[in-house]
Amino acid sequence: MMPSTNLRKRVLSGMRSTGKLHLGNYVGALDNWVRMQDEYECFFEVADWHALTTDYADTSRVKQNSLEVALDWLAAGLDPEKSVIFIQSHVPAHAELHLLFSMITPLGWLERVPTYKEQRENIKDKDLGTYGFLGYPVLQSADILIYKADVVPVGEDQVAHVELTREIARRFNGFYGQRGDVFPEPQSLLTPAPKLPGTDGRKMSKSYGNTILLTDPEPVVRQKLKTMVTDPARVRRSDPGNPDVCPVGDLHKIFSDRATMDKVNTGCRSAGIGCIECKSWAADALVQLLNPMQERREKFEENPRLAWDILEAGSERARKVAASTMDGVRGAMGMSLAYEPPAADDAK
Ligand code: TRP
Ligand code: SF4
């Protein structure tokens, strides 16, 4: 069970529910979250409303995707005995806080957020000129602040969102914190993410279609490795190569043990090994990592109700914490739900 909670710093992080996770999600976030569970009081959120900001026109997969994400989390070792694992939309108070924050957030702050500018420029197949998309980081601020999180583990691309969260907290406290700060200012904790290439050598990303999924069975992993690009200088088997410029070499650096890494380094540079052999070693390392996850996932796949129950129980716990924060928020704004008799000087 959880050790005494109030001594530990509180963590909140989340992922948009976009379906099955890949190795990039694992080494960029999940792996780190699993380790943080023992040191922090953790809240992990499946951000299904955030998924809607880009996929609002077709919601048919959102719920299933949330479950898929949760299955991958549980498979990777997130533990409902240690952490609160929940679905954003099951804690409607996030929406209330988002609304209140939207009142005090200057438009200019949102228009300047780098992810906003980039995505508006890069995503052309959907109309992102919506209110919800601009407000994405305001919702994220509500996610974080409603739990008064101290620490938010995120990748580089999310740091600006946590910075905005701090600014919103500061502004809220400035307006309404007469009796002390309502919100702490959270710190982002940068996940040390090694460069993880996809099968085509570009960064592993769902939108590039170059991923290795946490759920890929061994033959699929081996097949994907076979087609993975290598150091282009190694055209023939007799040409020496360089693991430092080879995507397969990058995989070895992350997932292989020292002995294998040494064999790769010397073998590749001297043309002593072939790429096929080298790739099979990389596949071995991946299979070794993924096997226990896939075993753990089996139980939930056979009975997804178990995972849903975990999400419901987690959401219940999250709602309690969120409700208590919202009491404080409404109180600080002079808008508590309780009846208050008119003040003496009004009652002539
Ligand atoms: N925006 C985050 C991402 O795309 C997901 C997210 C939603 C999140 N709410 C959050 C991350 C709160 C940290 C804290 O990765
Ligand atoms: Fe890449 Fe391995 Fe081939 Fe070297 S031997 S180029 S590291 S796949």
Side-chain angles (χ1 to χ4, degrees):
M1 274 317 287
M2 315 216 321
S4 168
T5 52
N6 44 12
L7 297 173
R8 295 185 301 165
K9 285 193 172 176
R10 188 176 281 174
V11 155
L12 178 123
S13 198
M15 283 184 203
R16 283 154 40 98
S17 38
T18 51
K20 289 197 161 75
L21 301 181
H22 55 73
L23 274 176
N25 303 122
Y26 182 73
V27 298
L30 198 44
D31 172 39
N32 198 39
W33 294 4
V34 170
R35 282 190 307 251
M36 292 183 94
Q37 295 184 108
D38 296 314
E39 198 185 328
Y40 296 91
E41 184 193 13
C42 292
F43 287 72
F44 297 117
E45 161 195 278
V46 181
D48 56 346
W49 279 339
H50 275 118
L52 287 186
T53 58
T54 51
D55 292 328
Y56 54 83
D58 177 8
T59 55
S60 59
R61 301 269 323 153
V62 176
K63 186 173 173 183
Q64 183 61 31
N65 284 348
S66 294
L67 186 63
E68 291 286 358
V69 168
L71 288 180
D72 278 331
W73 286 4
L74 294 167
L78 288 195
D79 179 351
E81 295 281 316
K82 295 178 182 168
S83 302
V84 180
I85 302 170
F86 69 99
I87 304 184
Q88 185 181 37
S89 69
H90 292 214
V91 190
H94 289 224
E96 183 182 356
L97 190 57
H98 169 244
L99 176 91
L100 296 173
F101 285 167
S102 78
M103 301 298 168
I104 65 167
T105 307
L107 274 178
W109 289 9
L110 299 178
E111 287 158 349
R112 275 196 297 275
V113 170
T115 47
Y116 176 74
K117 288 196 293 195
E118 274 160 31
Q119 299 206 40
R120 283 305 302 275
E121 280 160 24
N122 293 334
I123 303 180
K124 293 291 180 207
D125 58 333
K126 297 171 195 157
D127 178 8
L128 296 184
T130 61
Y131 180 55
F133 188 70
L134 180 67
Y136 184 113
V138 183
L139 180 57
Q140 188 166 346
S141 301
D143 293 346
I144 295 166
L145 293 175
I146 208 163
Y147 302 103
K148 302 187 177 177
D150 303 295
V151 176
V152 186
V154 284
E156 192 94 63
D157 62 319
Q158 296 293 311
V159 170
H161 291 176
V162 179
E163 186 50 40
L164 185 86
T165 304
R166 296 159 59 80
E167 276 161 9
I168 290 178
R170 219 173 292 149
R171 193 162 162 93
F172 188 99
N173 290 336
F175 284 140
Y176 314 118
Q178 290 85 356
R179 278 173 278 128
D181 284 353
V182 178
F183 293 114
E185 288 183 28
Q187 302 290 333
S188 55
L189 186 75
L190 249 190
T191 310
K195 177 179 158 217
L196 184 81
T199 48
D200 61 358
R202 292 187 288 174
K203 179 182 151 80
M204 188 178 287
S205 159
K206 189 178 178 185
S207 50
Y208 293 154
N210 64 358
T211 59
I212 295 168
L213 299 178
L214 301 185
T215 41
D216 279 343
E218 175 165 352
V220 175
V221 173
R222 295 201 180 275
Q223 187 52 38
K224 284 184 175 175
L225 257 289
K226 280 199 184 112
T227 61
M228 187 151 179
V229 302
T230 56
D231 175 359
R234 275 205 93 176
V235 184
R236 280 172 300 262
R237 169 69 175 75
S238 54
D239 296 332
N242 178 359
D244 292 335
V245 299
C246 173
V248 179
D250 289 331
L251 288 189
H252 277 297
K253 281 178 201 137
I254 301 170
F255 300 108
S256 290
D257 56 28
R258 260 245 74 88
T260 310
M261 197 60 241
D262 289 346
K263 280 198 296 185
V264 169
N265 259 320
T266 43
C268 177
R269 290 172 208 278
S270 62
I273 58 169
C275 290
I276 295 173
E277 192 179 8
C278 178
K279 287 171 158 187
S280 77
W281 297 338
D284 291 343
L286 292 184
V287 167
Q288 209 176 43
L289 172 76
L290 297 180
N291 254 345
M293 288 192 214
Q294 295 177 358
E295 267 165 37
R296 225 174 292 145
R297 200 179 206 272
E298 239 162 62
K299 173 177 92 182
F300 296 109
E301 243 162 18
E302 280 159 19
N303 186 3
R305 172 88 234 185
L306 283 178
W308 197 255
D309 287 345
I310 288 171
L311 289 169
E312 284 191 332
S315 300
E316 175 68 34
R317 285 170 69 188
R319 278 194 295 272
K320 292 211 172 88
V321 178
S324 146
T325 301
M326 289 314 295
D327 278 345
V329 164
R330 293 189 209 102
M333 295 177 76
M335 296 174 75
S336 79
L337 303 181
Y339 172 74
E340 278 161 20
D345 57 354
D346 294 342
K348 302 251 156 60

